[in-house]
């Protein structure tokens, strides 16, 4: 995105070439901006980066000079930055800019009146899987020619007696071509913009092309959905080696990207494979509690109620733990325990012992403690985080730790509306394929939490393994391994280096088999793929694989024994333009006649101090502003047209536009107007047993606003056990008030499962008697038989 001190710096021409192969995209773009003002303007280019995107090329051309961003070994880059004037502006920008998250920023200097600057931006990224199986590519609306500029062009054409329409003007300023490839064959596409018909360029329809005619309607972001033929759980993209690189290196060997999209049927998970649920509760939320127990001044936002309802909604056989945090953090148990009647009662009894604490909070330390606890075999780990204070941890360190473990857990985050670290929790939820729900002070916290728990209890693919079948002489070296689990509706991409030399050159096909479990069911899929793919000079698969390799090396540390490996990785990083913890960006302004390109001889650092070169402030930054730089579906490309002034860098508060953008990721619900008796509800929920049943007690009758004698007398027959009759009564009561308590689904499901497992329960008779006693009209479908 282009940012300037004045919105009159307009995007004039856009040229974009996109190549999509299965679930990896490669983009080469050229953006021409013009200063429409009569005065010079200081300009800057800034764009977000994320864990699924690698920006490998950036340069800007203004007049006879060119600014090019390059990667250097970190220590050498730091020395160069010391010699660069204006770097303090970037450091000031880090704390004062109103956006939040990791970005690349480069100052371009002064743009004279009516002059142009041309931005060249190239990146590769993994594309997300949509629920209907399509690959989604997005392009931001702000990177299309602006309507204001189009009107200006039309006015000039009109003065020249021209007759061109706005669509014709748009086609002159928008050249957007898309190439599609897939071994599964391209079925069809969907684009929210006018475009040319899909043209197949191969007889087997494994490649196709399409071009845009105009930008999307209503100034929407461009959304391209690519559908491939036939159902499939596996996709493989093999990329040829760089012939200039030595065999045995990452560049010198072919690399395969395998996208795992397991079919996860709706099944009833077996006990012991339901997951590990960790509830992290901010102790500052407890400061409004007025009396011990489960009462609060505001029952709908009471953290004690939230924990109670979550605990009661868990299924038998899962594992759980509760962490409360403030100046320090404490766990109810040293490690997660199995969910039984005894453990549930113990946890419910300990909720009232959580005391308020307004001290600081080390989120990084708490997460590291949790991540260092070994995963329970076959148990998906899911975190529910309730927070209203600001964490004292560095946000970039927290996100690095979350990213490191993103394949083996999921985060559901519930920051309050006044939480200063809101953007961090939004990012954590997106990175782990969870959900972030903003809790307003008047919202029903238990309701939102239980809704997310419903999603967390959906079936999960576990026990994931890959088995390779390659021609003799070839083997795979895993760069990014298969994840521990894959949640329903998501995919995961792994990368492997194909090493060795095939003994038979005529055998050019390999196979990979995916095996996984959903509950007690086992699944297996095999995909055969070609080992002789067409070459791609952009090398998107190699770049993505390099990104994951560099992450892995950064986590493993910098011991002397690994220095050779790291030096080799840095060399590859520099050659591919993939940022890492071992490298840093340096931008150089030079005369175009002296312009340096990656295919030329290496540039020596001493050359940068010659009169022909000028170092420019350019760096990867972690902004700490108020608005998230995450873009719908791809996370990376959050687009906002902002104003920037070098003389007056100031923090701006969130506006209505920011709230609209945030709402695409966060559910912000209005105050609930339910009139249900929450005290009676708390009692009813507290009385439910871990297996889903209720006992026939005076406390239950009181919650139903009946006497125990009335409840006992109305039992349909002596053949119906008291616990079954009590469970039907409680189930009917909950269901009758469902319009007031929308989140009782899990409690009802537990009760139904327990009733179905009981012998000799006459459900029709019990339902009729319960309706009569409670004055309800609940249908037999309540039992889900």
């Amino acid at each position: 995105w282009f940012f300037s001190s004045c919105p009159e710096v307009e995007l004039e021409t856009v040229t974009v070439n996109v190549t999509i192969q299965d679930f990896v995209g490669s983009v080469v773009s050229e953006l021409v901006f013009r200063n429409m003002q009569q005065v010079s303007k200081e300009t800057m280019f800034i764009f977000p980066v994320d864990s699924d995107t690698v920006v490998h090329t950036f340069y800007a051309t203004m007049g006879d000079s060119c600014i090019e961003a390059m990667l250097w070994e970190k220590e050498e880059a730091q020395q160069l930055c010391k010699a660069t004037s204006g770097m303090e502006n970037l450091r000031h920008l880090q704390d004062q800019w109103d956006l939040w998250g990791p970005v690349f920023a480069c100052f371009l200097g002064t743009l004279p009146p009516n002059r142009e600057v041309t931005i060249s931006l190239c990146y590769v990224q993994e594309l997300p899987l949509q629920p209907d199986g399509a690959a989604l590519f997005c392009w931001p609306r702000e990177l299309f020619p602006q309507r204001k500029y189009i009107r200006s062009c039309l006015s000039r054409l009109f003065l020249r007696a021209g007759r061109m329409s706005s669509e014709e003007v748009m086609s002159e300023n928008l050249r957007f071509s898309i190439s599609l490839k897939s071994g599964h064959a391209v079925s069809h596409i969907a684009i929210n913009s006018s475009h040319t018909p899909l043209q197949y360029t191969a007889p087997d329809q494994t490649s196709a092309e399409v071009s845009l005619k105009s930008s999307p309607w209503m100034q929407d972001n461009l959304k391209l959905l690519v559908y491939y033929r036939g159902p499939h759980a596996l996709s493989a993209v093999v990329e040829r080696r760089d012939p200039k690189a030595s065999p045995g290196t990452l560049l010198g060997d072919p690399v395969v990207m395998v996208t795992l999209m397991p079919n996860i049927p709706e099944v009833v998970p077996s006990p012991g494979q339901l997951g590990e649920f960790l509830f992290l509760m901010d102790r500052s939320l407890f400061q409004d509690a007025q009396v011990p127990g489960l009462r609060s001044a505001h029952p709908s936002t009471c953290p004690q109620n939230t924990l109670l309802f979550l605990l009661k909604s868990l299924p038998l056989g899962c594992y759980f733990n509760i962490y409360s945090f403030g100046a320090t953090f404490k766990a109810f148990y040293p490690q997660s325990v199995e969910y039984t009647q005894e453990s549930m009662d113990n946890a419910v009894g300990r909720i009232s012992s959580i005391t308020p604490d307004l001290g600081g909070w080390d989120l990084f330390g708490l997460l590291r403690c949790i991540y260092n606890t070994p995963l329970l075999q076959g148990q998906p780990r899911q975190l529910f985080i309730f927070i209203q204070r600001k964490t004292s941890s560095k946000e970039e360190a927290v996100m690095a730790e979350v990213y490191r473990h993103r394949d083996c857990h999921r985060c559901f985050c519930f920051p309050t509306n006044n939480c200063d670290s809101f953007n961090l929790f939004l990012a954590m939820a997106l990175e782990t394929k969870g959900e972030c729900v903003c809790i307003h002070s008047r919202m029903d916290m238990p309701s939102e939490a239980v809704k997310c728990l419903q999603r967390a209890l959906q079936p999960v693919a576990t026990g994931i393994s890959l088995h390779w079948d390659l021609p003799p002489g070839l083997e795979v070296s895993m760069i990014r391994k298969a994840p521990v689990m894959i949640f329903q509706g998501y995919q995961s991409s792994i990368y492997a280096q194909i090493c060795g030399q095939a003994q038979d050159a005529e055998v050019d096909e390999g196979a990979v088999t995916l095996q996984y479990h959903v509950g007690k069911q086992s699944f297996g899929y095999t995909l055969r793929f070609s080992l002789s793919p067409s070459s791609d000079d952009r090398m998107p698969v190699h770049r993505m694989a390099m990104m994951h390799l560099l992450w892995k090396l950064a986590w493993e540390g910098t011991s002397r024994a690994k220095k050779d490996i790291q030096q080799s990785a840095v060399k590859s990083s520099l050659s591919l333009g993939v940022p890492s913890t071992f490298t840093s960006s340096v931008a150089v302004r030079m005369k175009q006649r002296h312009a340096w390109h990656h295919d030329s001889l290496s540039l020596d650092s001493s050359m940068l101090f010659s009169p022909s070169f000028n170092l420019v402030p350019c760096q990867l930054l972690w902004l700490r502003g108020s608005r998230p730089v995450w873009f719908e579906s791809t996370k990376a490309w959050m687009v906002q047209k902002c104003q920037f002034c070098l003389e007056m860098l100031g923090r701006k508060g969130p506006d209505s536009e920011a709230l609209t953008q945030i709402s695409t990721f966060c559910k912000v619900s209005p105050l609930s107007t339910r009139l249900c008796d929450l005290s009676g509800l708390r009692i009813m929920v507290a009385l439910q047993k871990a297996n889903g049943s209720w006992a026939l007690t005076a406390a239950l009758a009181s919650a139903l606003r009946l006497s125990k004698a009335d409840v006992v007398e109305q039992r349909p027959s002596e053949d119906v056990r008291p616990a079954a009759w009590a469970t039907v009564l409680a189930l009917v009561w909950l269901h009758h008030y469902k319009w007031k308590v929308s989140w009782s689904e899990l409690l009802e499901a537990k009760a139904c499962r327990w009733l179905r497992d009981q012998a000799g329960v006459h459900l029709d008779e019990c339902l009729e008697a319960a309706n009569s006693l409670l004055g309800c009209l609940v249908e037999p479908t309540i039992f889900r038989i």
Side-chain angles (χ1 to χ4, degrees), residues 69-81 87 104 570 573-574 578-587 618-621:
M70 295 174 283
L71 286 179
W72 292 76
E73 192 277 328
K74 176 156 285 187
E75 292 184 3
E76 191 170 21
Q78 290 173 346
Q79 294 298 319
L80 292 172
C81 288
M87 288 299 292
F104 170 87
V570 168
S573 171
L574 298 179
V578 179
S580 71
T581 57
F582 309 113
T583 57
S584 187
S585 298
V586 174
C618 168
Q619 207 166 25
L620 286 169
L621 299 173

Side-chain angles (χ1 to χ4, degrees), residues 301-364:
T301 58
C302 174
Q304 292 98 327
N305 285 342
T306 301
L307 284 177
L308 171 67
F309 299 153
L310 284 171
L311 284 172
K312 291 290 182 173
S313 299
L314 291 176
L316 282 173
C318 73
Y319 286 77
F320 76 99
N321 204 347
I322 296 175
Y323 293 80
S324 64
F325 55 84
T328 60
F329 58 86
K330 301 176 182 178
F332 275 23
Y333 309 102
Q335 58 186 14
S336 296
V337 296
E338 185 177 355
Y339 184 76
T340 63
Q341 184 66 44
E342 181 181 2
S343 62
M344 184 200 71
D345 288 341
N346 178 273
V348 170
R350 297 177 65 176
I351 292 176
S352 60
S353 66
I354 301 177
T355 56
D357 184 339
L358 302 180
W361 174 37
D362 178 17
L363 173 59
F364 180 80

Side-chain angles (χ1 to χ4, degrees), residues 314-547:
L314 291 176
L316 282 173
C318 73
Y319 286 77
F320 76 99
N321 204 347
I322 296 175
Y323 293 80
S324 64
F325 55 84
T328 60
F329 58 86
K330 301 176 182 178
F332 275 23
Y333 309 102
Q335 58 186 14
S336 296
V337 296
E338 185 177 355
Y339 184 76
T340 63
Q341 184 66 44
E342 181 181 2
S343 62
M344 184 200 71
D345 288 341
N346 178 273
V348 170
R350 297 177 65 176
I351 292 176
S352 60
S353 66
I354 301 177
T355 56
D357 184 339
L358 302 180
W361 174 37
D362 178 17
L363 173 59
F364 180 80
L366 176 54
L367 289 178
R368 174 159 284 190
C369 175
I370 292 173
Y371 294 152
N372 287 342
T373 303
L375 286 170
L376 299 171
Q377 185 64 31
Q379 303 291 339
R381 174 175 284 173
Q382 307 197 64
L383 276 60
F384 287 68
I385 308 175
F386 301 87
I387 174 71
Q388 74 173 358
R389 76 181 77 197
K390 181 178 178 63
T391 175
S392 58
S393 304
K394 289 187 177 180
E395 293 172 338
E396 51 266 53
V398 170
M399 284 307 301
E401 193 73 6
V402 170
Y403 175 79
R404 179 179 180 181
H405 298 274
R406 68 173 182 169
D407 288 335
C408 58
H409 83 296
R410 182 159 59 174
C411 292
F412 293 90
C413 301
F414 306 89
T416 61
N417 63 318
N418 57 352
C419 176
D420 291 335
S421 299
F422 172 81
N423 295 325
L424 174 63
F425 293 100
L426 174 60
M428 290 171 59
L430 290 170
E431 192 64 62
T432 59
K433 301 177 176 64
E435 193 167 340
C436 182
V437 182
C438 179
I439 300 297
H440 192 273
S441 60
R442 296 173 296 175
M443 282 181 59
D444 190 349
M445 181 188 292
S447 172
E448 297 300 328
V450 175
K451 286 177 188 176
C452 287
L453 181 59
Q454 272 187 290
R455 180 182 167 194
L457 287 170
Q458 291 175 342
V460 179
T462 59
I464 299 169
S465 63
L466 288 177
H467 304 276
W468 301 85
D469 181 13
L470 298 179
L474 296 179
E475 61 180 6
V476 296
S477 174
M478 298 301 297
I479 297 172
R480 186 187 183 195
K481 298 180 180 179
V484 175
M485 63 199 71
I486 298 180
F487 297 102
Q488 193 174 52
Y490 293 96
Q491 93 274 35
S492 182
S493 295
I494 65 98
Y495 297 85
Q497 185 176 343
I498 302 178
C499 309
Q501 184 70 39
Q503 297 178 6
D504 187 349
E506 296 183 0
V507 180
D508 64 348
E509 190 177 66
V512 61
T513 299
L514 167 66
Q515 293 181 333
Y516 62 93
H517 304 284
V518 179
K520 291 184 177 180
Q521 299 184 34
S522 298
F523 297 87
Y525 297 92
T526 298
L527 173 70
R528 304 200 69 82
F529 56 88
S530 172
L531 293 171
S532 300
S534 57
S535 59
D536 189 340
D537 294 337
R538 303 177 187 177
M539 305 194 79
V541 177
H542 276 80
R543 293 186 196 276
M544 295 303 300
M546 174 58 67
M547 181 190 71

Side-chain angles (χ1 to χ4, degrees), residues 11 126 196 215 367 387 402 454 500 552 590 700 742 746:
L11 179 56
E126 293 180 7
T196 61
S215 58
L367 289 178
I387 174 71
V402 170
Q454 272 187 290
K552 185 168 67 172
M590 61 195 88
L700 174 65
S742 61
L746 293 176

Side-chain angles (χ1 to χ4, degrees), residues 656-732:
S656 59
E657 179 189 359
L659 295 176
T660 300
Q661 293 162 345
I662 289 174
S663 68
T664 62
F665 300 110
C666 313
K667 301 177 182 176
V668 181
S669 303
L671 170 63
S672 172
T673 58
R674 304 184 185 110
L675 301 177
C676 183
D677 181 357
L678 287 175
S679 61
L681 175 64
R682 280 195 299 266
I683 296 173
M684 183 66 72
V685 173
L687 292 174
Q688 188 178 29
K689 295 185 179 297
N691 61 11
S693 68
W694 276 265
L696 187 55
T697 63
L700 174 65
S702 176
L704 296 172
R705 299 199 173 186
L706 298 168
S707 67
K708 185 177 180 182
D710 290 337
V711 173
V712 173
E713 288 175 4
Q714 293 297 320
R715 187 164 49 132
S717 68
E718 293 184 357
D719 294 337
V720 177
R721 289 189 299 160
W725 169 234
T727 301
V728 172
L729 280 173
L731 180 60
V732 169

Side-chain angles (χ1 to χ4, degrees), residues 84-91 107 617:
T84 304
S85 60
M87 288 299 292
E88 64 278 0
N89 289 327
L90 285 183
R91 287 186 285 272
F107 286 97

